[in-house]
Amino acid sequence: SGAQDHSRWRRTGFRQGNPYVAIKTIIVDDHPVVRFGVKQMLSSSENIEVVAEMEDVDNLIRTIGETGAEIVLLDLELERTHGVDALRVVRENAPDVKVIIYTSHDEEDRIVQAAELGVDGYLLKGCGQRELVNAIESVSTGGIALESTVAGKLMQHMNRRSNESEADNVRFSKREAQVLKLIAAGKTNRDIGETLFISESTVKFHVHAILNKLDASNRTEAVSIAAQLGLVELT
């Protein structure tokens, strides 16, 4: 078993005579019982060190900096931070940190949104201890860890997109569709934020996503393309 244990280590150079350094991991989940259980599962692997656990992303970026964490195990549905907003916080402020989504949500739109923002792994709660440990070890060395059902849904989405017409190929989330409609009405980011009760920075994120999906360089071009595709009506 010594050789097997050795194969799980990640070589990072010598420190205090030891050529291996544990993978520093942060658990973000708003359920204390889940955090406790995950920490217990990860303690079975000597090369994974849980350096912090938190219930939301409020102090996550600061904690990443203080601990030197390499991997964040992130639930998608936190009490105060919904959907992929938590993932976006990490991607925008700590782009080098690897993120593994650990959630009970397996809806295709969630998976696709997470993939578009750039996750390194997506696991469903209830996965086995070995699978969780393997995912962290794989991601730490540049791999991707997708549970089979998640990978299947992602493949189905990609295949469907390649087979659809251009208009059908452009898919917006409910919030993006709302933002697009308000852009077409000539509203500013501040106006849109006040109308939808979201922050201006969140509006900017949605606008960026809309421009990307329409392959547009600015708002005017985006509205023009969307109108041509029948996605919005110009008044």
Side-chain angles (χ1 to χ4, degrees):
S1 75
Q4 185 180 9
D5 288 344
H6 184 275
S7 71
R8 299 205 314 263
W9 291 89
R10 185 172 54 92
R11 188 177 292 276
T12 58
F14 285 84
R15 179 192 284 182
Q16 297 177 345
N18 186 345
Y20 309 110
V21 178
I23 305 162
K24 295 181 177 179
T25 303
I26 294 176
I27 301 168
V28 184
D29 196 294
D30 58 349
H31 291 94
V33 173
V34 173
R35 293 199 303 271
F36 176 79
V38 170
K39 191 172 182 179
Q40 290 297 107
M41 284 199 287
L42 296 183
S43 69
S44 71
S45 174
E46 292 177 293
N47 65 321
I48 297 176
E49 178 189 3
V50 177
V51 294
E53 50 180 279
M54 43 209 343
E55 63 181 18
D56 212 295
V57 292
D58 296 344
N59 299 310
L60 177 58
I61 303 306
R62 188 182 72 192
T63 304
I64 288 172
E66 291 173 350
T67 61
E70 305 160 69
I71 290 183
V72 173
L73 197 61
L74 177 68
D75 186 6
L76 271 187
E77 282 300 319
L78 304 171
E79 189 173 345
R80 298 194 309 276
T81 312
H82 297 288
V84 292
D85 290 342
L87 173 57
R88 190 170 67 253
V89 167
V90 182
R91 278 289 163 256
E92 290 179 351
N93 297 285
D96 294 333
V97 170
K98 297 181 184 298
V99 179
I100 299 175
I101 298 299
Y102 184 66
T103 184
S104 56
H105 293 276
D106 65 349
E107 298 90 347
E108 184 180 297
D109 62 331
R110 298 287 185 94
I111 295 169
V112 171
Q113 277 186 307
E116 288 175 344
L117 279 174
V119 289
D120 303 281
Y122 198 116
L123 300 178
L124 299 178
K125 289 180 179 177
C127 72
Q129 179 180 29
R130 189 68 247 167
E131 189 171 5
L132 183 58
V133 169
N134 284 345
I136 291 176
E137 292 171 349
S138 173
V139 165
S140 74
T141 56
I144 298 291
L146 296 178
E147 197 158 312
S148 58
T149 54
V150 171
K153 290 187 178 185
L154 199 52
M155 286 296 293
Q156 286 174 359
H157 172 79
M158 298 306 293
N159 289 338
R160 196 164 55 249
R161 282 191 62 168
S162 66
N163 292 329
E164 288 171 347
S165 67
E166 186 179 4
D168 290 337
N169 202 19
V170 181
R171 291 181 174 275
F172 295 113
S173 67
K174 183 179 178 182
R175 182 66 85 193
E176 287 167 353
Q178 292 171 330
V179 172
L180 177 59
K181 188 175 180 180
L182 290 169
I183 292 175
K187 302 295 185 183
T188 65
N189 286 350
R190 178 175 293 182
D191 293 335
I192 295 171
E194 290 175 354
T195 301
L196 299 178
F197 302 104
I198 56 178
S199 69
E200 199 169 336
S201 62
T202 300
V203 175
K204 288 179 182 177
F205 170 76
H206 289 309
V207 171
H208 180 69
I210 290 167
L211 296 183
N212 275 345
K213 289 182 179 182
L214 292 173
D215 196 22
S217 56
N218 55 59
R219 297 159 78 102
T220 304
E221 185 181 3
V223 171
S224 175
I225 293 171
Q228 291 171 27
L229 295 176
L231 300 173
V232 294
E233 291 184 8
L234 299 181
T235 54

PDB file of all heavy atoms in Angstrom, residues 167 225-233:
ATOM      1  N   ALA A 167     -30.243  30.602 -34.647  1.00  0.00           N
ATOM      2  CA  ALA A 167     -31.078  31.269 -33.642  1.00  0.00           C
ATOM      3  C   ALA A 167     -31.261  30.385 -32.419  1.00  0.00           C
ATOM      4  O   ALA A 167     -31.176  30.854 -31.280  1.00  0.00           O
ATOM      5  CB  ALA A 167     -32.437  31.619 -34.234  1.00  0.00           C
ATOM      6  N   ILE A 225     -28.116  42.026 -33.695  1.00  0.00           N
ATOM      7  CA  ILE A 225     -28.050  40.585 -33.973  1.00  0.00           C
ATOM      8  C   ILE A 225     -29.240  39.875 -33.347  1.00  0.00           C
ATOM      9  O   ILE A 225     -29.879  39.025 -33.973  1.00  0.00           O
ATOM     10  CB  ILE A 225     -26.726  39.992 -33.428  1.00  0.00           C
ATOM     11  CG1 ILE A 225     -25.535  40.551 -34.201  1.00  0.00           C
ATOM     12  CG2 ILE A 225     -26.744  38.464 -33.517  1.00  0.00           C
ATOM     13  CD1 ILE A 225     -24.189  40.208 -33.611  1.00  0.00           C
ATOM     14  N   ALA A 226     -29.547  40.238 -32.101  1.00  0.00           N
ATOM     15  CA  ALA A 226     -30.663  39.608 -31.394  1.00  0.00           C
ATOM     16  C   ALA A 226     -31.976  39.853 -32.122  1.00  0.00           C
ATOM     17  O   ALA A 226     -32.836  38.971 -32.215  1.00  0.00           O
ATOM     18  CB  ALA A 226     -30.739  40.134 -29.961  1.00  0.00           C
ATOM     19  N   ALA A 227     -32.131  41.061 -32.675  1.00  0.00           N
ATOM     20  CA  ALA A 227     -33.359  41.393 -33.419  1.00  0.00           C
ATOM     21  C   ALA A 227     -33.441  40.566 -34.698  1.00  0.00           C
ATOM     22  O   ALA A 227     -34.516  40.060 -35.066  1.00  0.00           O
ATOM     23  CB  ALA A 227     -33.381  42.886 -33.741  1.00  0.00           C
ATOM     24  N   GLN A 228     -32.298  40.421 -35.390  1.00  0.00           N
ATOM     25  CA  GLN A 228     -32.269  39.624 -36.625  1.00  0.00           C
ATOM     26  C   GLN A 228     -32.636  38.160 -36.355  1.00  0.00           C
ATOM     27  O   GLN A 228     -33.240  37.493 -37.191  1.00  0.00           O
ATOM     28  CB  GLN A 228     -30.883  39.696 -37.259  1.00  0.00           C
ATOM     29  CG  GLN A 228     -30.528  41.057 -37.838  1.00  0.00           C
ATOM     30  CD  GLN A 228     -29.066  41.141 -38.259  1.00  0.00           C
ATOM     31  OE1 GLN A 228     -28.451  40.138 -38.587  1.00  0.00           O
ATOM     32  NE2 GLN A 228     -28.510  42.342 -38.224  1.00  0.00           N
ATOM     33  N   LEU A 229     -32.251  37.683 -35.189  1.00  0.00           N
ATOM     34  CA  LEU A 229     -32.530  36.291 -34.812  1.00  0.00           C
ATOM     35  C   LEU A 229     -33.921  36.144 -34.192  1.00  0.00           C
ATOM     36  O   LEU A 229     -34.326  35.022 -33.840  1.00  0.00           O
ATOM     37  CB  LEU A 229     -31.473  35.781 -33.823  1.00  0.00           C
ATOM     38  CG  LEU A 229     -30.037  35.684 -34.355  1.00  0.00           C
ATOM     39  CD1 LEU A 229     -29.080  35.270 -33.234  1.00  0.00           C
ATOM     40  CD2 LEU A 229     -29.952  34.698 -35.512  1.00  0.00           C
ATOM     41  N   GLY A 230     -34.632  37.259 -34.048  1.00  0.00           N
ATOM     42  CA  GLY A 230     -35.973  37.199 -33.477  1.00  0.00           C
ATOM     43  C   GLY A 230     -35.986  37.026 -31.972  1.00  0.00           C
ATOM     44  O   GLY A 230     -36.980  36.599 -31.389  1.00  0.00           O
ATOM     45  N   LEU A 231     -34.861  37.382 -31.324  1.00  0.00           N
ATOM     46  CA  LEU A 231     -34.759  37.210 -29.872  1.00  0.00           C
ATOM     47  C   LEU A 231     -35.310  38.418 -29.123  1.00  0.00           C
ATOM     48  O   LEU A 231     -35.685  38.302 -27.956  1.00  0.00           O
ATOM     49  CB  LEU A 231     -33.285  36.961 -29.476  1.00  0.00           C
ATOM     50  CG  LEU A 231     -32.651  35.713 -30.099  1.00  0.00           C
ATOM     51  CD1 LEU A 231     -31.165  35.660 -29.785  1.00  0.00           C
ATOM     52  CD2 LEU A 231     -33.338  34.456 -29.564  1.00  0.00           C
ATOM     53  N   VAL A 232     -35.321  39.561 -29.784  1.00  0.00           N
ATOM     54  CA  VAL A 232     -35.918  40.770 -29.180  1.00  0.00           C
ATOM     55  C   VAL A 232     -36.683  41.525 -30.269  1.00  0.00           C
ATOM     56  O   VAL A 232     -36.418  41.348 -31.465  1.00  0.00           O
ATOM     57  CB  VAL A 232     -34.859  41.721 -28.557  1.00  0.00           C
ATOM     58  CG1 VAL A 232     -34.181  41.083 -27.381  1.00  0.00           C
ATOM     59  CG2 VAL A 232     -33.857  42.165 -29.614  1.00  0.00           C
ATOM     60  N   GLU A 233     -37.612  42.352 -29.837  1.00  0.00           N
ATOM     61  CA  GLU A 233     -38.359  43.196 -30.782  1.00  0.00           C
ATOM     62  C   GLU A 233     -37.946  44.642 -30.555  1.00  0.00           C
ATOM     63  O   GLU A 233     -37.922  45.121 -29.419  1.00  0.00           O
ATOM     64  CB  GLU A 233     -39.870  43.034 -30.554  1.00  0.00           C
ATOM     65  CG  GLU A 233     -40.407  41.672 -30.952  1.00  0.00           C
ATOM     66  CD  GLU A 233     -41.917  41.585 -30.795  1.00  0.00           C
ATOM     67  OE1 GLU A 233     -42.533  42.635 -30.531  1.00  0.00           O
ATOM     68  OE2 GLU A 233     -42.451  40.476 -30.895  1.00  0.00           O
TER      69      GLU A 233
END
